[in-house]
Amino acid sequence: MTVLTGLLDVEHLTYSWGKSSDVGRESTLRKVSFGLLAGEIKAILGPNGSGKSTLLRLMSGLIPLSPTRCKGRVRSRGRDLLTLPSQSRASVISYLGSDFNSEFPLTVETAVALGGLFTSQSPSGRLETVQAALERCLCQDLRHQDLRSLSGGQRQLAGLARAMVQSPEILLLDESLSKMDLDHQHRISQVLREWVRDKNSAVLWVSHDLHLAAQVADSALWLRAGEKIGDGRIFEMLAPAMLKQVYPHAGGLN
Amino acid sequence: MASQRISVKKTNRRFFAYFWSILILVLVILIALRWGASVAAWEVVLDLRVPRVLLALGVGMGLAVGGAVLQVLFSNPLCEPYILGISSGSAVGVVIGLSSGLSWNFGGLVGTSFLGALAFAGVLYWASHRIHRSGLGKGRSVLLLIGVMLGFLGNSLLALWLALGDPTEIQNASTWFFGDLSRARLSGAIIVVTLVVVICAAICSWSSQLDALLLGEEEASAIGVDVQLMQKTLIGLTSILVGLCVSGGGVIGFVGLLVPHGVRRWVGASHRDLLPLCALWGAIALVFADWVSRWLWRPYELPVGVVTALVGAPCLIGILLRDVREVD
């Protein structure tokens, strides 16, 4: 079966440690392959140290590439994302971590606008995009506040607005909703759904929150010790047998 | 409509920020030219004060812009060439230049001074990457401490050179270590100002990328900045700035810390205005400090670095205490 609207194609992505003396927080990945469709939200699930963040960081260029450590391909509509120059890559794919913050005095509005630094928009158009993103991410009221004075959850809202201003085709979220309260998590998951539908884009979303994953995602990918152990519709992936396999000690889940 | 009004307001504010800064700079320059240790005969003004004020202007610009850039590069508002030991590295470069036969002439020492600054800045860059990759939460203070240690190392090397050196050079060197603009010659001062302005302009062309870096390396990279290329280029340019400043005026601290700090509070963190205003206020600060250093105990002179440290060190303690309060 051919996929008509495939947006992302990851083939045999492998990342291994170099010399043992290297200090790093990257885990290993072993020949991970999967695809992502336009309009899809895919959760990446797995225990700590299973390689979820490494996968996202590798795809978004945050881990410096070296041919001895990294093998495989990440392609989107014919482009090889791993070798694309930073600026062109940023128009296709963007990464958002769990802490959106600054060491310097920066208002939420300015910080969010930085997402549009390299987009080809007129200044007035950019201003409108920023306003729209602030509204969409429920941080219109925070826009004149200093980023540093906000709570972790509020900063995550601002971070998401930054990512939306950048308007990438694929958004990588690494625990980016983890500090929001239940109400905001729920509302933002709706916002993500709408955004993916409107822009015909896709989201890869690392999370430990299985309930939220069940609400937000269409599909899920399980990783354990750097290997893919499952990839499919979200409800199949959250079936008791699967959970028991990944989390053998968490009896309550099953 | 509303957004138009806001942008007009912003344009006005920017205009006034530059207008006042230039006006104050002109005033400070006039004061520094007019009053000094002796009665201002025209020859004194022309031969001594003009080169000196010009040199102070260039060095102040360079240190302030260098400080502003280092703060963002290392994601730490407490960084500056002096505190990070880069100025000491540059001074070691000068001393090595002197020992290998270059005399106290500015032109010959800029190169070795730059290499000294680059070596120390390179160590810091490497250290910051190690800290970043290991994900240490205390990265901020670790980097500062490494900088302070580099400063100690540089100063020890200087002390060693003083102990072994030739007495006439020691006389020259000891004032220069605390910052000394009295050796200014017109030709040297003109070269410093010109090169500092050119390099500051080159740094300004990275304003957008520096803005993105305000959110940290990962965010900047996600937004589309080639972070490594930018860091390497800017560390190179900043090292040239520090090399110029140290070979021109010796080791002068705190201008690179306090000026960016104050200007950022005034006009915000966006580099399009921050960098040019830092250049203006760096010039104002150092021309003024140099005038204070020769006017306060006239006819004697204090090294200008002593004046900046007397003001700067307590201010730094104040900033640190405020940060602690904010975290609480």
Side-chain angles (χ1 to χ4, degrees):
Chain A
M1 194 182 77
T2 50
V3 177
L4 290 173
T5 49
L7 192 53
L8 182 76
D9 209 4
V10 176
E11 283 172 57
H12 303 299
L13 193 60
T14 299
Y15 182 82
S16 55
W17 285 65
K19 288 168 287 173
S20 57
S21 63
D22 270 323
V23 189
R25 40 182 174 170
E26 271 74 66
S27 336
T28 313
L29 281 182
R30 290 197 190 88
K31 292 199 168 175
V32 174
S33 303
F34 64 94
L36 193 61
L37 309 178
E40 185 180 7
I41 298 183
K42 192 192 258 314
I44 300 179
L45 308 170
N48 294 325
S50 57
K52 305 186 295 293
S53 294
T54 305
L55 178 63
L56 291 201
R57 293 163 58 84
L58 205 56
M59 287 166 61
S60 54
L62 290 178
I63 301 175
L65 280 185
S66 76
T68 52
R69 288 204 211 169
C70 173
K71 291 192 175 68
R73 281 203 291 196
V74 179
R75 286 188 300 179
S76 171
R77 292 181 174 150
R79 297 158 295 195
D80 185 354
L81 290 184
L82 294 181
T83 54
L84 220 54
S86 341
Q87 215 156 311
S88 339
R89 191 187 57 227
S91 65
V92 182
I93 199 163
S94 184
Y95 170 92
L96 182 64
S98 61
D99 195 20
F100 183 75
N101 206 350
S102 175
E103 293 282 345
F104 300 91
L106 213 57
T107 62
V108 170
E109 193 171 25
T110 320
V112 168
L114 288 175
L117 216 50
F118 300 116
T119 53
S120 50
Q121 265 187 321
S122 66
S124 62
R126 201 184 288 174
L127 208 68
E128 273 168 33
T129 315
V130 172
Q131 292 308 323
L134 284 170
E135 256 167 56
R136 207 166 202 171
C137 297
L138 318 171
C139 41
Q140 183 70 274
D141 298 337
L142 306 172
R143 68 182 198 276
H144 295 306
Q145 290 197 37
D146 192 322
L147 202 58
R148 298 171 301 174
S149 69
L150 303 182
S151 74
Q154 289 173 319
R155 286 204 300 268
Q156 287 186 331
L157 292 174
L160 205 59
R162 185 287 285 162
M164 289 187 176
V165 168
Q166 192 178 338
S167 187
E169 294 167 27
I170 304 157
L171 179 55
L172 311 177
L173 301 178
D174 194 351
E175 304 260 7
S176 309
L177 317 183
S178 58
K179 292 173 189 162
M180 294 178 195
D181 59 49
L182 274 179
D183 197 38
H184 273 100
Q185 278 186 340
H186 182 72
R187 289 169 72 185
I188 285 298
S189 58
Q190 306 256 304
V191 168
L192 273 177
R193 283 239 127 278
E194 283 166 23
W195 181 75
V196 163
R197 199 188 53 220
D198 293 353
K199 303 269 176 190
N200 208 24
S201 50
V203 172
L204 265 185
W205 173 51
V206 164
S207 175
H208 281 296
D209 189 337
L210 301 182
H211 289 286
L212 195 58
Q215 266 181 36
V216 184
D218 305 296
S219 59
L221 174 85
W222 279 103
L223 288 177
R224 192 175 57 187
E227 282 184 74
K228 180 174 92 173
I229 54 168
D231 182 10
R233 310 288 310 161
I234 184 79
F235 289 109
E236 294 162 21
M237 290 295 106
L238 293 179
M242 193 77 209
L243 295 179
K244 200 164 186 175
Q245 191 192 339
V246 191
Y247 302 116
H249 303 294
L253 273 174
N254 305 321
Chain B
M1 267 307 272
S3 70
Q4 264 176 356
R5 221 174 304 139
I6 290 170
S7 84
V8 168
K9 232 172 159 182
K10 255 189 183 161
T11 317
N12 272 341
R13 260 189 62 185
R14 290 184 62 205
F15 172 77
F16 278 113
Y18 284 103
F19 175 78
W20 284 116
S21 304
I22 291 170
L23 192 73
I24 292 170
L25 178 62
V26 171
L27 270 178
V28 169
I29 289 174
L30 289 178
I31 291 171
L33 289 176
R34 171 70 182 76
W35 285 284
S38 58
V39 187
W42 185 236
E43 291 76 26
V44 174
V45 171
L46 217 55
D47 289 350
L48 295 177
R49 289 189 196 158
V50 168
R52 191 168 176 159
V53 166
L54 213 53
L55 185 63
L57 192 117
V59 171
M61 271 185 182
L63 289 175
V65 171
V69 171
L70 288 172
Q71 287 167 10
V72 182
L73 278 184
F74 292 127
S75 226
N76 187 334
L78 298 175
C79 287
E80 66 130 348
Y82 178 74
I83 293 175
L84 288 180
I86 300 174
S87 297
S88 295
S90 187
V92 170
V94 169
V95 158
I96 291 173
L98 283 173
S99 311
S100 51
L102 300 165
S103 66
W104 278 104
N105 121 355
F106 158 77
L109 297 174
V110 175
T112 56
S113 176
F114 156 67
L115 289 177
L118 190 64
F120 275 40
V123 171
L124 283 164
Y125 175 66
W126 171 79
S128 82
H129 265 251
R130 259 194 111 74
I131 294 166
H132 186 70
R133 282 174 60 196
S134 63
L136 276 177
K138 298 277 178 201
R140 177 171 166 168
S141 33
V142 172
L143 188 78
L144 275 186
L145 279 174
I146 292 174
V148 172
M149 289 309 122
L150 282 177
F152 280 141
L153 180 72
N155 290 345
S156 311
L157 290 173
L158 296 175
L160 186 73
W161 178 80
L162 279 180
L164 303 173
D166 146 20
T168 52
E169 276 190 351
I170 292 171
Q171 186 60 40
N172 272 328
S174 57
T175 51
W176 176 81
F177 289 154
F178 294 102
D180 175 23
L181 298 165
S182 64
R183 234 187 305 274
R185 302 265 180 290
L186 191 61
S187 57
I190 289 173
I191 294 171
V192 171
V193 172
T194 316
L195 288 178
V196 164
V197 168
V198 169
I199 292 163
C200 287
I203 289 175
C204 284
S205 70
W206 288 80
S207 287
S208 305
Q209 284 92 334
L210 280 166
D211 282 349
L213 201 57
L214 289 170
L215 295 170
E217 283 181 31
E218 290 192 351
E219 275 291 319
S221 172
I223 289 169
V225 177
D226 185 341
V227 174
Q228 286 206 1
L229 174 72
M230 167 197 194
Q231 285 173 327
K232 286 176 185 159
T233 312
L234 287 178
I235 285 205
L237 289 173
T238 312
S239 299
I240 304 177
L241 271 187
V242 177
L244 280 168
C245 293
V246 170
S247 51
V251 182
I252 300 170
F254 300 100
V255 175
L257 175 79
L258 295 181
V259 170
H261 207 85
V263 176
R264 210 178 270 122
R265 296 205 121 201
W266 182 32
V267 296
S270 170
H271 291 84
R272 190 179 62 155
D273 292 325
L274 180 79
L275 293 175
L277 285 169
C278 272
L280 286 171
W281 279 91
I284 293 170
L286 202 61
V287 170
F288 187 71
D290 181 51
W291 174 73
V292 170
S293 78
R294 61 193 154 87
W295 193 76
L296 210 57
W297 268 294
R298 58 190 181 285
Y300 305 107
E301 259 188 43
L302 283 171
V304 64
V306 171
V307 175
T308 60
L310 280 176
V311 178
C315 285
L316 175 61
I317 294 172
I319 292 170
L320 283 170
L321 286 177
R322 206 197 53 223
D323 279 3
V324 171
R325 261 207 313 278
E326 276 174 9
V327 170
D328 286 346

